[in-house]
Amino acid sequence: MHALRHDILPPSGVEFATTLKLTPSTITGSSSQDKLPRVLTNVVVSRSNLLRIFEVWEQSPQISTHIEDERERRAHVRKGTEAVEGEVEMDEGGEGWVNMGSVKATAKKDPSTVSRFHFVREHTLHGTVTGMESVRIMSTYEDQLDRLLVSFKDAKIALLEWSDAAHDLVTVSIHTYERAPQMVSLDSSLFKTELRADPLSRCAALSLPKDAFAILPFFQTQAELDVMEQEQNHTRDVPYSPSFVLDLVNDVDERIRNVIDFVFLPGYNNPTVAVLCQSEQTWAGRLKEYRDTARLYIFTLDLMSRNYPIITAVDGLPYDSVSLLPCATSLGGVIVLTSNSIIYVDQAARRVALPVNGWAARVSDMPMPPADKDLGLYLEGSRLVFVDEKTFFVIRKDGMIHPIEIILDGRTVSKLVLLPVIAQTTIPAVARLLNDDLLFVGSTVGPSVLMKTARQEVPLEFPAQQTGATAVNFSDSMDLDDDDDLYGDSQTATQATVGATSGTSVTTKTRSIIHLSLCDSLPAYGPIADMTFSLAKNGERFVPELVTATGAGHLGGFTLFQRDLPTRTKRKLHVLGGARGIWSLPVRQSQRVNGLSYEKAMSPFSAEIDTIIISTDANPTPGVSRIATRTAKTDVSIPTRIPGTTICAAPFFQRTTILHVMTNAIRVLEPDGNERQVIKDMDGSLPRAKIKSCSICDPFVLILREDESIGLFIGETERGKIRRKDMSPMGDKTSRYIAGCFFTDTIGLFDVEATETTPAAAHTDKSTSTLQAAVAAGNRSQWLVLVRPQGVMEIWSLPKLTLVFSTTAISTLENILVDSCAPAALSLPQDPPRKPQDLDIDQILLAPLGETSLVPHLFVFSRAGNMAIYEALPAPASSEHTDPPHPNPRTAFLKVKFHKVVSKTFEIQRVEETEKTVLAEHKRISRTFVPFVTSPNMECTLTGVFFTGDRPCWIIATDKGGLRVVPSGHTVVHAFTACSLWESKGDFLLYSDEGPTLLEWAPEVQLDSCLPYRSVPRSRPYSNVVFEQSASLIVAASSLQARFASYDEDGSIIWEPDGNGISFPYADCSTLELISPEHWVTMDGYEFASNESVNALTCVSLETTSTESGSKNFIAVGTTINRGEDLAVKGATYIFEVVEVVSDPNWTPKRWYKLKLRVKDDAKGPVTAVCGINGYLVSSMGQKIFVRALDLDERLVGVAFLDVGVYVTSLRSMKNLLLIGDAVKSVWLVAFQEDPYKLVTLAKDVRKRHATTVDFFFAGGDLAIASEDEEGVLRLFAYDPSDPESRGGQHLLCHTEFHGHKECRSTIMIARRTKDEQLVPQAKLVSGFTDGSLSTLTPVDEAVFKRLQLLQGQLTRNMQHTAGLNPKAHRIVRNDAVSKPLSKSVLDGQLLSEFQVLGISRQNEITRQIGTERALVLHDWSSLIVPW
């Protein structure tokens, strides 16, 4: 059986991060100090196999008129908005951000700027990232840019640099150590390689198993390179010398064993490494024999002579030392973090300890001061980061930030001082200081945050600042742009006191205060613990919604995913019609003064509200157009109806009139719908071909006719009329064009370079002498984009019509479009008329996309159904025209290139060209790009594009997620417009298969991932979640921590806390919650004992006499009762019923339910898995499986049992078959028989494998068993008694092993229907992983599989993969029992997805080599990758 494994959601969160100047914008951005926004630095983050590059922008806070308007309205009820010293605040006149307060003089930077993340690129790699570092190599001195060093799980290091030509990362080199003797050992898969780089980039080190480092030295000067060239025949362009493996035991010191952590130290002439190791291993139970077993060694790497002298050796560090932090050069030494204390060690082996609880003195004999009696901190999971030379932050695993100050006595460190908590942030995985005052804290379980630190000297007289600081939580809320959080209530955060008395001046003593303020965050939801499908409403339709239990600690909660962008229907507007087009326009009544018309002055907020809707239908012939306005209530009235079909409508003459284009005329209408001017589209007295499309950009109008000819018109503001524009610069007036549009550049990206022969005036198109330029002043420049039939795209400047850009690469949708510098192409009419080709561009649009910063994007849709979206980037002017061999007729060159960011293929059902009937016109589906601007909430304004047709989708770009194409969920959308007629900036009006509808996006939708999602923060994590179908409710088990005390058999407590800073440990406990998915309120719950935690939760259908049907849904729960290490663990099985109760009329929701406990059945072992089979309950208890019936709804009666493996991890049933997954004994297939009752083992996997989840997987008549293990290996087993290897069917045959490299926690089997079938022909598996990713396993037909497998081989061999990684080796599972890998039957969706991104010519080349067609392969691919 064949399948496709495809990730539908990338990993979430940040595990590794580094800061560097990677992209050229960081160099140009930092040089122009006065211009905002400017790029401060790059942040590269990774999680699992996802690598993302961000720029950190410093920009002025942008506040839309909408937000200002709302702020004024709420000003009198806002609390806590007083002026805060050292912070930014709004002045009362609402004119912008101003500086307030005298303390501002001490601040180094202008506080009226904000730092924000901006997404640049992302890559899904064929390898798991285990570390990232920034390095500078010799070419850095030429371009001032850093290089990125990335290490991978299979002992590889890749050196990457930014290429401006490709606008992407390119691989400089890859260094592999997977064949090193240290990696050959069997347990190397348990080892995690770590990467560290020398602060001066002289070398990098990768930790290997068996206490070894792989050292990669870099050249820093030409002298080093010359020396190396003399010794070996070395090529000059290689930035590194040969790497080598350093065996610490043999080469440095035989006591360096079991390395815990290592770092490079700054300030040494040679690279110097500090290694924390544990030569004699111990644990809490052996502390009487072995304690203080950790050691610290500091040694120098002499890379030329391969000499490694030890500078410092320190013994007797606590056994629970976990990490090192290098100190600044002025201090020297390192900080050692342990579970219970923090230790400073200097070069002379002096140790200064700071205990944070009472356990530190009990587990270590190292001399240390007594711990504060009120202090009981735990440092497991903490991260350390220096914020200045003598202060570092300890960020604990609950997000609490403790500053620690290093106190000097002369030049030696005398003590470490722990200061009070100053803030609570996210749960940390990595902490990096980006520059002097920006701190980045990355998290794998929630949002990663960017914070600003500012120091301030304050006189000691203030009593308020001598008290302890207040903890301020500023990352619980996902809505991190909220103005209240940042500027209102942060008074306590900014006044938090940090630092001891530091001033020694005679007059007044001062103390140092650190301000922490939140700048920005990268949204994330963390690991997926469990998931279930529930029902949600999208508009009027019910759609499946994936409810996942995500996060950890105080960042826990639910994340809800939908396949399509969720919307809410506000009203139906059938009276409008609009099957052929809808336009919602803001048109104002004009005033005339001295013959000039301009719009009435209004408040800027109301000026944006639409006033008129124009809709058009094709029936009855020749069509009808309506002009509708809003009446005093919320209804619409249609005062004007016009026969004929509207092609386009837009506000004109500075929004005082409507320009209305019909199939044969261009009309200028007054705001009330009366006609001011009409131009019949005639050639003399002969009618021209019908107008098929048009583009309007005040004061220009472009029309395209059905015979591929165009017309260009210009408006004259003085007369209020339009006239034809001369098009002679563009060639013969009979020239043919297949698509075109206008573009208004408001950000100044489009910059023209003119050759010297040209008079300068010809290119100052922006400063035209006509009146309309004066009225529409500003930095707007207007451009015309045209596509000729032979596939040439040209950009012309307006109003002079100068050709500034030309490219032929657009017809094959190449990855980069650059100016070919060619003159205007000829496109004369052909005889007989040219037939449309598949590669013809059907639609083209150049429009801005973005959130806070807009970037022009080029949208292209070809007749064959290929859609490509290009990002416009500044480019150096083409060098071809600087010294041309022959004179170039082009005189101007646009300094822009286009880089493809998205490529997508749509299935097109073609209507026969001969069908020109009225019915065919009615059935015609128009696919067009419609730009829009929307404000889904007060803080956010998005500029996007909607693509209409039979696969309608939203095209949106966010600051932190890049560009996303999200399906709208409608079968077909004929017309679309953003509509603010009802005074909401988040409304859309579209004509779909349901008719004309006014809708809005569902609130709180996040669009920065592949699937739109909503977060439901609950401040606690959930381990299990299930959907109860009969009442449509969610039942979830929360995972909490409770104090744990150990008791003996008689119930006497064994140990109690007996000292300062000593406390009971924590253990897992659970509660069960009944939640309404409509409002996310908890209706009822059940609290288990404080030492009882839920292992399994499912909804089962059990036989009962209380219903007519004889069966009913119950909630089954399996638990573990933990009794300490001296007593055996127990468990219990619970059966709950969801019952409806009488609700209070004031409650929301109206129907109220409760959990009713029917049965509690104690067990002698933990109940680790439960499921239902044919009306019976199947549960595990220790090494047994029990099948039980529910008797009289009050007790469970056993009917069958079976002895199975060691620890059952999962149970799945289908009909009377049962699958058992075990932690040691892999997979069992069992049948349940009812007469007589018994469980029969059909087959089992005889190899020792860990199965975390098992599932049935079928297609047609084929059945396979899919299992996943904790390493992330997917295995497909077959039950085939006819195969001799199966020993008559007793053994399950493992046919396929596919490495996913991430642990799967939860799987759901869903139906896959290719047509509207009642039966379930195929199963599809959706899996959730610990890194937050989701993937699907989809059955693939034999013929399709063969095609895609050949394509996969071509892509592996013939493409440049990021970081030079091998996709085939990435999926191979090491298995010594077989001669060659078993990875043939599962296709790698991550690799196959790269085919769609290629240009058409490259796609044709690859498919030609495997003897198939490009269109067929794309059809196969698009049918397989639907999420669900």
Side-chain angles (χ1 to χ4, degrees):
M1 192 172 166
H2 307 301
L4 167 75
R5 172 70 171 270
H6 177 58
D7 283 357
I8 54 174
L9 203 61
S12 169
V14 172
E15 191 174 4
F16 301 99
T18 188
T19 172
L20 70 170
K21 292 194 180 297
L22 181 71
T23 57
S25 57
T26 56
I27 306 298
T28 55
S30 56
S31 61
S32 53
Q33 297 291 337
D34 52 341
K35 203 171 113 185
L36 289 176
R38 65 189 185 95
V39 181
L40 298 175
T41 182
N42 288 109
V43 175
V44 183
V45 299
S46 69
R47 175 82 201 269
S48 198
N49 64 338
L50 181 72
L51 185 83
R52 290 181 293 164
I53 304 169
F54 293 91
E55 290 175 343
V56 178
W57 286 22
E58 188 177 75
Q59 61 192 52
S60 50
Q62 294 175 336
I63 297 203
S64 70
T65 50
H66 186 146
I67 301 172
E68 285 183 19
D69 199 67
E70 286 294 317
R71 183 177 283 112
E72 284 169 21
R73 200 179 306 163
R74 298 191 301 162
H76 58 283
V77 290
R78 288 277 295 279
K79 299 277 191 295
T81 53
E82 315 82 48
V84 175
E85 285 190 357
E87 287 295 304
V88 177
E89 82 157 11
M90 190 80 179
D91 66 330
E92 291 175 357
E95 292 168 2
W97 297 91
V98 294
N99 280 351
M100 289 287 201
S102 57
V103 199
K104 292 289 171 64
T106 58
K108 286 187 288 189
K109 295 214 171 182
D110 179 11
S112 62
T113 60
V114 290
S115 298
R116 290 270 185 268
F117 285 117
H118 274 264
F119 174 85
V120 181
R121 292 287 285 162
E122 74 177 8
H123 282 287
T124 309
L125 306 172
H126 299 286
T128 304
V129 177
T130 59
M132 292 191 302
E133 291 289 344
S134 156
V135 293
R136 300 172 76 83
I137 58 178
M138 277 182 62
S139 50
T140 300
Y141 299 112
E142 298 164 17
D143 57 16
Q144 306 302 311
L145 295 176
D146 301 333
R147 270 51 179 175
L148 179 66
L149 204 61
V150 186
S151 67
F152 297 95
K153 181 178 159 187
D154 47 359
K156 291 177 182 169
I157 304 176
L159 180 62
L160 306 167
E161 68 181 8
W162 184 263
S163 160
D164 219 19
H167 191 68
D168 206 349
L169 283 177
V170 293
T171 311
V172 178
S173 61
I174 182 157
H175 310 263
T176 71
Y177 306 96
E178 55 193 337
R179 295 181 190 274
Q182 288 84 357
M183 294 297 294
V184 179
S185 59
L186 286 172
D187 60 346
S188 63
S189 61
L190 302 173
F191 183 83
K192 187 177 172 186
T193 58
E194 290 185 339
L195 180 71
R196 301 282 186 270
D198 176 54
L200 297 177
S201 299
R202 291 168 293 197
C203 68
L206 180 73
S207 61
L208 298 177
K210 311 275 190 226
D211 306 310
F213 291 163
I215 306 286
L216 177 63
F218 295 105
F219 296 128
Q220 289 301 310
T221 62
Q222 190 61 41
E224 288 178 27
L225 189 56
D226 293 339
V227 170
M228 189 59 75
E229 271 188 347
Q230 289 163 11
E231 290 179 12
Q232 307 159 4
N233 294 326
H234 220 68
T235 51
R236 271 182 177 278
D237 54 351
V238 175
Y240 47 84
S241 57
S243 63
F244 59 93
V245 174
L246 173 67
D247 188 327
L248 297 173
V249 176
N250 296 326
D251 299 344
V252 184
D253 192 305
E254 60 181 12
R255 294 169 298 177
I256 304 182
R257 298 177 185 274
N258 307 313
V259 173
I260 301 167
D261 193 16
F262 72 105
V263 291
F264 280 92
L265 301 183
Y268 287 86
N269 290 333
N270 279 332
T272 302
V273 186
V275 177
L276 181 67
C277 62
Q278 193 173 13
S279 48
E280 180 72 48
Q281 291 185 300
T282 186
W283 64 291
R286 287 184 79 198
L287 287 182
K288 283 187 178 173
E289 290 80 26
Y290 292 102
R291 60 168 61 193
D292 295 335
T293 52
R295 300 162 181 253
L296 178 72
Y297 291 92
I298 300 176
F299 62 90
T300 298
L301 298 174
D302 190 335
L303 300 171
M304 301 301 275
S305 65
R306 301 280 172 96
N307 220 350
Y308 316 106
I310 291 181
I311 302 172
T312 307
V314 182
D315 292 350
L317 293 173
Y319 84 102
D320 55 356
S321 302
V322 284
S323 69
L324 297 175
L325 178 71
C327 297
T329 315
S330 58
L331 274 176
V334 287
I335 304 286
V336 181
L337 174 72
T338 77
S339 301
N340 306 301
S341 60
I342 291 166
I343 303 162
Y344 169 78
V345 183
D346 66 9
Q347 294 99 316
R350 282 186 69 255
R351 294 173 293 186
V352 178
L354 170 68
V356 296
N357 57 39
W359 290 108
R362 297 195 180 194
V363 301
S364 171
D365 293 334
M366 206 181 98
M368 55 179 77
D372 189 342
K373 64 175 189 225
D374 298 327
L375 212 57
L377 305 181
Y378 298 97
L379 299 181
E380 291 95 341
S382 299
R383 295 294 181 268
L384 307 182
V385 60
F386 269 99
V387 287
D388 61 31
E389 287 191 352
K390 296 175 189 170
T391 310
F392 62 94
F393 283 168
V394 177
I395 308 172
R396 284 171 41 222
K397 69 176 179 182
D398 57 358
M400 294 297 181
I401 300 177
H402 293 264
I404 292 186
E405 193 125 310
I406 299 173
I407 305 297
L408 293 177
D409 183 4
R411 296 194 63 180
T412 57
V413 173
S414 60
K415 62 176 178 175
L416 304 177
V417 178
L418 177 72
L419 299 160
V421 172
I422 59 165
Q424 182 178 18
T425 182
T426 187
I427 295 172
V430 59
R432 289 276 175 135
L433 198 65
L434 302 192
N435 52 23
D436 296 340
D437 60 350
L438 284 178
L439 174 65
F440 176 69
V441 181
S443 173
T444 54
V445 297
S448 303
V449 298
L450 181 68
M451 292 179 285
K452 194 164 201 165
T453 63
R455 246 185 200 283
Q456 195 179 329
E457 296 295 320
V458 176
L460 261 178
E461 284 96 65
F462 297 126
Q465 270 135 13
Q466 293 175 356
T467 58
T470 318
V472 179
N473 179 350
F474 46 60
S475 85
D476 260 1
S477 137
M478 301 298 282
D479 192 8
L480 288 157
D481 289 335
D482 189 5
D483 189 59
D484 294 86
D485 291 355
L486 279 182
Y487 303 109
D489 301 334
S490 56
Q491 191 168 11
T492 43
T494 55
Q495 295 304 321
T497 62
V498 175
T501 308
S502 59
T504 53
S505 84
V506 187
T507 51
T508 56
K509 287 193 173 183
T510 62
R511 68 186 308 159
S512 207
I513 291 182
I514 286 188
H515 300 259
L516 260 188
S517 55
L518 179 68
C519 296
D520 203 2
S521 72
L522 296 177
Y525 43 83
I528 295 173
D530 197 14
M531 56 188 185
T532 184
F533 274 103
S534 75
L535 275 181
K537 229 178 171 187
N538 191 347
E540 296 294 300
R541 306 177 314 283
F542 282 101
V543 294
E545 181 172 67
L546 187 66
V547 178
T548 59
T550 55
H554 65 278
L555 302 176
F558 298 109
T559 308
L560 321 176
F561 296 98
Q562 285 195 28
R563 188 184 67 181
D564 311 317
L565 202 155
T567 55
R568 296 196 306 204
T569 302
K570 295 184 85 170
R571 54 166 60 89
K572 298 278 191 183
L573 296 162
H574 289 294
V575 66
L576 273 180
R580 277 283 159 262
I582 305 176
W583 297 268
S584 179
L585 314 173
V587 184
R588 303 283 162 253
Q589 291 292 338
S590 62
Q591 291 181 331
R592 294 187 73 81
V593 179
N594 300 335
L596 292 178
S597 62
Y598 60 90
E599 58 184 284
K600 273 185 186 170
M602 285 188 160
S603 79
F605 178 65
S606 60
E608 296 297 324
I609 296 294
D610 296 344
T611 53
I612 281 176
I613 294 175
I614 297 181
S615 62
T616 185
D617 288 274
N619 292 339
T621 313
V624 60
S625 300
R626 306 175 186 83
I627 299 181
T629 56
R630 196 177 125 197
T631 55
K633 299 176 191 167
T634 56
D635 304 330
V636 290
S637 64
I638 302 175
T640 313
R641 283 183 172 79
I642 308 159
T645 312
T646 302
I647 301 297
C648 187
F652 214 66
F653 294 130
Q654 291 80 52
R655 295 189 301 199
T656 59
T657 59
I658 305 162
L659 193 91
H660 186 216
V661 179
M662 304 184 74
T663 49
N664 58 356
I666 297 126
R667 310 167 57 210
V668 181
L669 306 181
E670 301 288 356
D672 55 7
N674 293 327
E675 198 172 276
R676 179 191 290 186
Q677 180 194 9
V678 61
I679 297 181
K680 295 279 186 196
D681 192 29
M682 308 275 282
D683 187 6
S685 58
L686 299 172
R688 293 184 191 262
K690 279 187 176 178
I691 299 171
K692 66 172 182 180
S693 68
C694 96
S695 176
I696 303 171
C697 178
D698 191 4
F700 300 102
V701 183
L702 170 75
I703 57 169
L704 273 96
R705 305 185 186 90
E706 288 179 354
D707 64 354
E708 298 185 346
S709 62
I710 65 167
L712 193 58
F713 299 84
I714 184 165
E716 296 180 323
T717 313
E718 298 93 332
R719 295 171 53 223
K721 301 274 182 80
I722 58 170
R723 62 171 172 81
R724 289 186 188 277
K725 178 159 175 57
D726 174 37
M727 293 188 293
S728 54
M730 294 159 60
D732 196 299
K733 69 174 182 180
T734 58
S735 294
R736 296 293 186 250
Y737 302 89
I738 49 176
C741 72
F742 290 111
F743 169 62
T744 304
D745 180 24
T746 55
I747 61 168
L749 175 70
F750 277 38
D751 186 18
V752 169
E753 179 170 302
T755 51
E756 292 170 12
T757 56
T758 325
H763 299 282
T764 53
D765 287 346
K766 296 171 193 173
S767 57
T768 53
S769 56
T770 53
L771 184 66
Q772 71 263 7
V775 177
N779 59 349
R780 307 190 326 154
S781 57
Q782 290 174 305
W783 311 84
L784 173 61
V785 184
L786 289 172
V787 182
R788 299 188 186 252
Q790 65 266 45
V792 178
M793 181 186 86
E794 297 175 348
I795 300 179
W796 298 77
S797 68
L798 292 171
K800 293 282 199 294
L801 283 179
T802 313
L803 180 62
V804 293
F805 187 94
S806 172
T807 180
T808 55
I810 192 156
S811 58
T812 54
L813 306 180
E814 297 303 320
N815 284 346
I816 301 267
L817 305 181
V818 292
D819 190 358
S820 64
C821 299
L826 290 174
S827 52
L828 297 174
Q830 297 175 7
D831 198 20
R834 191 185 76 95
K835 285 199 170 172
Q837 308 290 315
D838 270 358
L839 295 183
D840 279 1
I841 305 297
D842 193 41
Q843 292 288 329
I844 193 161
L845 174 71
L846 191 52
L849 279 187
E851 195 174 340
T852 58
S853 64
L854 302 182
V855 179
H857 283 70
L858 180 69
F859 303 83
V860 183
F861 185 73
S862 74
R863 212 172 152 272
N866 303 305
M867 180 172 80
I869 305 170
Y870 292 84
E871 181 184 359
L873 301 164
S878 286
S879 56
E880 290 180 32
H881 65 261
T882 51
D883 189 17
H886 53 85
N888 193 334
R890 284 267 300 277
T891 56
F893 302 88
L894 191 62
K895 294 195 284 187
V896 164
K897 64 181 177 185
F898 296 93
H899 174 260
K900 185 159 72 174
V901 284
V902 167
S903 191
K904 211 169 167 61
T905 306
F906 295 85
E907 292 290 315
I908 299 286
Q909 270 75 41
R910 287 246 174 80
V911 184
E912 286 300 316
E913 297 296 335
T914 52
E915 269 193 81
K916 290 284 185 187
T917 59
V918 175
L919 186 62
E921 174 63 23
H922 178 67
K923 284 183 180 172
R924 182 174 65 85
I925 293 171
S926 85
R927 299 177 182 87
T928 54
F929 294 107
V930 185
F932 65 85
V933 179
T934 182
S935 296
N937 55 47
M938 273 177 46
E939 288 82 16
C940 166
T941 300
L942 279 170
T943 303
V945 168
F946 188 86
F947 183 61
T948 65
D950 52 356
R951 297 279 192 286
C953 50
W954 306 85
I955 303 166
I956 296 151
T958 59
D959 284 347
K960 297 157 201 165
L963 193 141
R964 303 285 174 199
V965 180
V966 188
S968 79
H970 298 89
T971 314
V972 61
V973 171
H974 295 287
F976 169 92
T977 182
C979 176
S980 56
L981 194 67
W982 283 270
E983 295 185 2
S984 166
K985 304 291 285 182
D987 287 357
F988 303 100
L989 186 58
L990 54 81
Y991 191 101
S992 65
D993 45 334
E994 301 167 6
T997 312
L998 187 74
L999 52 83
E1000 65 177 358
W1001 291 350
E1004 307 297 324
V1005 173
Q1006 301 262 10
L1007 298 169
D1008 46 59
S1009 193
C1010 292
L1011 295 174
Y1013 68 94
R1014 286 182 297 147
S1015 289
V1016 183
R1018 307 275 295 179
S1019 74
R1020 55 191 174 277
Y1022 291 83
S1023 57
N1024 304 79
V1025 59
V1026 72
F1027 182 65
E1028 208 283 330
Q1029 297 168 6
S1030 54
S1032 294
L1033 298 174
I1034 299 280
V1035 182
S1038 63
S1039 177
L1040 307 168
Q1041 297 273 299
R1043 293 284 186 185
F1044 180 80
S1046 208
Y1047 295 85
D1048 58 17
E1049 291 282 11
D1050 304 328
S1052 307
I1053 195 163
I1054 293 175
W1055 176 86
E1056 287 187 90
D1058 53 357
N1060 290 336
I1062 303 288
S1063 59
F1064 280 119
Y1066 284 97
D1068 290 334
C1069 69
S1070 295
T1071 60
L1072 203 63
E1073 297 181 27
L1074 184 66
I1075 300 165
S1076 159
E1078 199 177 343
H1079 303 281
W1080 292 100
V1081 291
T1082 301
M1083 296 178 159
D1084 193 22
Y1086 182 85
E1087 202 163 311
F1088 298 98
S1090 61
N1091 61 337
E1092 187 171 12
S1093 59
V1094 171
N1095 297 323
L1097 170 71
T1098 188
C1099 184
V1100 292
S1101 177
L1102 300 179
E1103 289 183 1
T1104 176
T1105 53
S1106 59
T1107 61
E1108 289 181 19
S1109 61
S1111 67
K1112 191 175 183 182
N1113 281 348
F1114 292 91
I1115 302 296
V1117 182
T1119 67
T1120 291
I1121 299 170
N1122 183 10
R1123 304 193 297 162
E1125 57 191 14
D1126 297 328
L1127 298 178
V1129 69
K1130 289 188 174 182
T1133 307
Y1134 295 80
I1135 303 293
F1136 291 93
E1137 185 183 351
V1138 177
V1139 293
E1140 188 168 0
V1141 294
V1142 179
S1143 69
D1144 190 300
N1146 300 324
W1147 289 351
T1148 307
K1150 294 297 179 200
R1151 298 182 71 175
W1152 204 258
Y1153 296 85
K1154 284 203 176 295
L1155 282 172
K1156 186 174 184 182
L1157 177 63
R1158 286 292 187 187
V1159 181
K1160 179 187 176 186
D1161 187 77
D1162 290 321
K1164 292 179 180 175
V1167 181
T1168 54
V1170 288
C1171 79
I1173 185 167
N1174 293 354
Y1176 298 90
L1177 178 73
V1178 186
S1179 63
S1180 72
M1181 187 205 79
Q1183 289 84 38
K1184 285 185 169 57
I1185 295 288
F1186 288 95
V1187 180
R1188 290 181 284 189
L1190 183 64
D1191 183 31
L1192 301 173
D1193 287 2
E1194 60 185 27
R1195 65 193 183 115
L1196 290 171
V1197 179
V1199 295
F1201 78 94
L1202 181 72
D1203 285 311
V1204 287
V1206 177
Y1207 181 97
V1208 176
T1209 56
S1210 55
L1211 292 171
R1212 293 285 189 275
S1213 65
M1214 187 171 69
K1215 297 183 177 176
N1216 69 326
L1217 293 174
L1218 184 66
L1219 267 183
I1220 304 167
D1222 192 87
V1224 179
K1225 296 293 184 75
S1226 192
V1227 183
W1228 294 37
L1229 178 63
V1230 175
F1232 173 57
Q1233 177 184 308
E1234 289 191 57
D1235 192 13
Y1237 289 116
K1238 68 174 177 178
L1239 287 166
V1240 181
T1241 304
L1242 299 178
K1244 55 187 174 184
D1245 178 23
V1246 289
R1247 297 201 170 276
K1248 276 194 174 184
R1249 295 185 176 109
H1250 180 118
T1252 52
T1253 63
V1254 290
D1255 274 283
F1256 291 101
F1257 184 61
F1258 56 86
D1262 296 331
L1263 172 70
I1265 295 164
S1267 98
E1268 301 237 14
D1269 70 10
E1270 59 187 355
E1271 291 278 311
V1273 177
L1274 166 73
R1275 292 184 175 89
L1276 291 182
F1277 296 94
Y1279 173 60
D1280 186 2
S1282 62
D1283 192 314
E1285 285 185 22
S1286 72
R1287 307 280 176 92
Q1290 293 178 35
H1291 293 179
L1292 288 173
L1293 302 175
C1294 179
H1295 282 324
T1296 302
E1297 292 182 318
F1298 180 91
H1299 215 314
H1301 293 278
K1302 46 197 176 186
E1303 184 189 347
C1304 174
R1305 288 270 184 89
S1306 171
T1307 58
I1308 302 178
M1309 182 175 72
I1310 57 174
R1312 178 175 183 252
R1313 293 181 173 86
T1314 46
K1315 297 182 281 293
D1316 293 332
E1317 297 152 314
Q1318 285 304 308
L1319 296 170
V1320 179
Q1322 293 184 343
K1324 184 171 183 169
L1325 292 181
V1326 181
S1327 307
F1329 297 92
T1330 50
D1331 64 358
S1333 59
L1334 280 174
S1335 78
T1336 57
L1337 190 69
T1338 311
V1340 182
D1341 296 335
E1342 180 84 25
V1344 174
F1345 177 82
K1346 285 180 178 173
R1347 270 196 299 273
L1348 293 179
Q1349 192 179 35
L1350 287 169
L1351 176 66
Q1352 189 169 289
Q1354 287 290 327
L1355 292 172
T1356 303
R1357 293 186 293 272
N1358 298 341
M1359 279 189 65
Q1360 287 280 344
H1361 301 289
T1362 310
L1365 297 166
N1366 183 347
K1368 187 176 179 183
H1370 183 53
R1371 299 303 183 191
I1372 288 176
V1373 179
R1374 178 171 173 170
N1375 186 344
D1376 297 330
V1378 292
S1379 57
K1380 58 181 186 178
L1382 300 173
S1383 55
K1384 289 282 187 204
S1385 297
V1386 176
L1387 296 167
D1388 183 1
Q1390 181 187 332
L1391 177 58
L1392 288 170
S1393 62
E1394 294 177 15
F1395 179 73
Q1396 193 167 290
V1397 183
L1398 298 173
I1400 291 174
S1401 51
R1402 186 89 174 91
Q1403 288 177 341
N1404 284 329
E1405 183 187 326
I1406 287 177
T1407 48
R1408 199 181 306 117
Q1409 291 169 349
I1410 58 174
T1412 185
E1413 292 179 4
R1414 168 186 158 274
L1416 190 58
V1417 168
L1418 287 170
H1419 168 74
D1420 295 339
W1421 176 246
S1422 57
S1423 66
L1424 288 170
I1425 57 168
V1426 182
W1428 50 75

